């Protein structure tokens, strides 16, 4: 886990591939990147997934930019990224997590204990929904990254 993208070009590369080239987003990199904590998951020195977490307000942290390279989707890497970002947020004092989920990924986040909050909205051209999860009394079990090379 690193703060900022300066030392994590692989996080930038995964996001560029998934969000810009594949999904057509234009405003992928923003003013949050320098303050956020970023995670990259590698398989045999190949970056396959990334995400970031940063403080919101009132004990709430925000997780975002969860991306998994296409050939590695459905293999649990998104879950590994989420659980490790949640643990980082807990370590930083988070009481709750908020995220803006692409509506097509809503079921994935619900499987991790997130609940929709509000109406669907567009972020650039893509429908999203705000989702929240309380970390109070939540199980902090994390899939092991022992067999995966990663940056933590």
């Amino acid at each position: 886990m690193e703060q900022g993208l300066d030392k994590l070009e692989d996080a930038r590369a995964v996001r560029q591939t998934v969000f810009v080239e594949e999904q057509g987003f234009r405003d992928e990199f923003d003013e949050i990147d320098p303050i956020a904590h970023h995670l990259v998951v590698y398989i045999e020195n190949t970056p396959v997934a990334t995400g970031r977490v940063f403080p919101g307000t009132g004990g709430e942290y925000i997780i975002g930019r969860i991306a998994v390279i296409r050939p590695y989707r459905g293999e649990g890497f998104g879950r590994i990224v989420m659980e490790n970002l949640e643990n980082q947020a807990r370590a930083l004092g988070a009481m709750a997590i908020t995220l803006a989920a692409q509506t097509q990924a809503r079921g994935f986040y619900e499987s991790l204990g997130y609940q929709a909050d509000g109406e669907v909205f567009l972020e650039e051209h893509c429908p999203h929904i705000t989702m929240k999860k309380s970390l109070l009394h939540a199980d902090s079990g994390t899939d092991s990254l022992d067999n995966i090379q990663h940056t933590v």
Side-chain angles (χ1 to χ4, degrees):
M1 192 90 53
E2 292 278 347
Q3 188 169 11
L5 281 179
D6 293 344
K7 298 176 186 172
L8 289 178
E9 279 302 313
D10 289 339
R12 183 181 297 278
V14 169
R15 286 170 52 187
Q16 177 73 26
T17 297
V18 172
F19 294 124
V20 177
E21 296 168 17
E22 183 181 319
Q23 298 182 2
F25 285 93
R26 290 183 308 275
D27 299 323
E28 174 53 24
F29 303 98
D30 60 20
E31 69 282 355
I32 301 299
D33 284 324
I35 63 167
H37 289 85
H38 301 263
L39 172 77
V40 180
V41 176
Y42 295 86
I43 298 296
E44 297 178 6
N45 296 319
T46 300
V48 299
T50 192
R52 72 181 187 182
V53 62
F54 58 96
T57 59
E60 178 180 85
Y61 274 66
I62 300 165
I63 287 180
R65 304 306 206 258
I66 306 304
V68 179
I69 298 291
R70 187 184 301 271
Y72 299 94
R73 292 182 192 152
E75 296 184 25
F77 296 111
R79 180 176 294 274
I80 289 169
V81 169
M82 286 298 296
E83 289 175 348
N84 280 274
L85 291 174
E86 286 179 8
N87 284 341
Q88 177 71 12
R90 275 187 194 91
L92 295 170
M95 294 182 286
I97 304 253
T98 296
L99 55 85
Q102 291 184 11
T103 55
Q104 53 89 16
R106 179 177 177 165
F108 166 72
Y109 293 109
E110 287 173 339
S111 77
L112 297 172
Y114 288 82
Q115 295 181 331
D117 183 46
E119 300 297 320
V120 172
F121 62 93
L122 288 179
E123 190 168 300
E124 290 195 41
H125 60 280
C126 184
H128 284 69
I129 188 156
T130 299
M131 301 190 79
K132 297 186 176 200
K133 178 179 181 178
S134 173
L135 296 182
L136 301 176
H137 309 294
D139 178 18
S140 63
T142 300
D143 286 347
S144 174
L145 290 176
D146 293 341
N147 297 321
I148 300 171
Q149 179 188 356
H150 60 283
T151 302
V152 177

